Amino acid sequence: KNQVEQSPQSLIILEGKNCTLQCNYTVSPFSNLRWYKQDTGRGPVSLTIMTFSENTKSNGRYTATLDADTKQSSLHITASQLSDSASYICVVSAANNAGNMLTFGGGTRLMVKP
Amino acid sequence: DTGVSQDPRHKITKRGQNVTFRCDPISEHNRLYWYRQTLGQGPEFLTYFQNEAQLEKSRLLSDRFSAERPKGSFSTLEIQRTEQGDSAMYLCASSSSTGKGQPQHFGDGTRLSIL
C-alpha cells in the first residue's frame, strides 16, 4: 500500500529560526514528490516538485531535498516568518497516471511565534 | 487564470439533509478531482474526471455520494442523507493532462458541518 509519513506532526519555532520537516514514503512506481503549503481554511498550494533524478529544489526560503534510494525527503525553511505558519504536506505521485495517483502525508503543522 | 473556485465556502446542515457543492476548475484544465480532508489529516481521494467522464471512484465514495461534470467544465458533488461522519473539508483540484508531472491546483474547499 502506498504511504507517506511525515514528522514531526507539529512544530513551534521562533520567528527568524530555521526548521526542517521530514517525509518518508513508500509509493511505487515513483513519479515525483511535491511539498504543499496549506494555510488554515485554504486549499494546498504547491511549493516544490522533484522528480527521481533531482535531489534538491529551492523556492525562496524553502529548500526541498529528495533521496530516492532511502525514499526520504525534507523541507528546510530558512529565516522563518510569521506567515510561514501553516500545514506542510508531502505529496508523492505514482507513475500510473490514474486519478488516485497522489498519496498525501498527514502534514506537519508549523507555528512561527514572534 | 482565476484559479479553482468552490462554492459555498461553508455549509452547515442537519443530519439527514442533502447538500450539493460546486467546483469551477481552471478553464483550460481537463482533469478535475474531489478530495475530502478531516482536521489534522491530508486530503483523501474521492473521485476524478477527465473531461466529462468520471474515470475513478474511491471506496470512500459511498452510494450516498454522487459527482457529476456534465459539460466537462464545472463539477458538482452531492451528498444525500448526510451523516455526522461527513463533516469535513471537501477540496476540488484541477490539472492538465498534457505534459508530465502537471500539478494539481486546489480550490479553498467547502467546509461541511453536520449538526
Side-chain angles (χ1 to χ4, degrees), chain A residues 9 27 41 48 57 64 70 82 88 112:
Chain A
Q9 280 191 319
V27 175
T48 64
K57 185 73 69 79
T70 61
L82 298 179
Y88 292 84
V112 180

Side-chain angles (χ1 to χ4, degrees), chain B residues 13-85:
Chain B
T13 192
K14 292 182 180 179
R15 188 178 54 181
Q17 297 296 304
N18 300 342
V19 293
T20 300
F21 312 139
R22 176 178 169 126
C23 171
D24 286 89
I26 292 172
S27 57
E28 59 267 30
H29 286 176
N30 60 341
R31 289 184 170 176
L32 186 147
Y33 309 79
W34 285 99
Y35 294 90
R36 181 172 70 187
Q37 186 178 25
T38 52
L39 204 61
Q41 303 296 316
E44 297 172 294
F45 171 78
L46 292 178
T47 189
Y48 149 64
F49 292 84
Q50 180 148 318
N51 301 312
E52 66 275 8
Q54 187 173 17
L55 298 185
E56 281 189 60
K57 291 195 291 187
S58 160
R59 284 176 296 176
L60 292 175
L61 214 67
S62 75
D63 56 6
R64 296 185 298 104
F65 288 69
S66 62
E68 294 182 345
R69 194 183 184 198
K71 297 180 181 178
S73 56
F74 73 91
S75 175
T76 57
L77 177 68
E78 181 183 16
I79 308 174
Q80 296 182 326
R81 304 180 304 281
T82 51
E83 301 173 356
Q84 287 201 321

Side-chain angles (χ1 to χ4, degrees), chain A residues 37 39 61-62 77-88 110-112:
Chain A
K37 179 186 179 187
D39 292 314
R61 294 180 297 102
Y62 301 105
I77 304 175
T78 304
S80 60
Q81 300 176 358
L82 298 179
S83 60
D84 293 331
S85 296
S87 288
Y88 292 84
L110 174 66
M111 183 178 295
V112 180

Side-chain angles (χ1 to χ4, degrees), chain A residues 34 36 38 41-43 98-99, chain B residues 9 37 48 56 101 104 107-108:
Chain A
R34 295 180 194 276
Y36 279 84
Q38 186 174 23
R42 306 296 299 273
Chain B
R9 291 294 313 280
Q37 186 178 25
Y48 149 64
E56 281 189 60
Q104 292 186 17
D108 284 334

Side-chain angles (χ1 to χ4, degrees), chain A residues 9 31-32 34 36 38 40-46 49 89 97-107 109, chain B residues 9 31 33 35 37 40-45 48 56 89 91 97 100-109 111:
Chain A
Q9 280 191 319
S31 176
N32 60 67
R34 295 180 194 276
Y36 279 84
Q38 186 174 23
T40 301
R42 306 296 299 273
V45 175
S46 180
I49 176 175
I89 304 175
N97 207 34
N100 65 346
M101 68 182 95
L102 300 185
T103 303
F104 292 79
R109 190 168 190 85
Chain B
R9 291 294 313 280
R31 289 184 170 176
Y33 309 79
Y35 294 90
Q37 186 178 25
Q41 303 296 316
E44 297 172 294
F45 171 78
Y48 149 64
E56 281 189 60
M89 172 82 87
L91 291 165
S97 61
K100 290 181 69 174
Q102 293 296 323
Q104 292 186 17
H105 296 260
F106 285 83
D108 284 334
R111 181 167 294 285

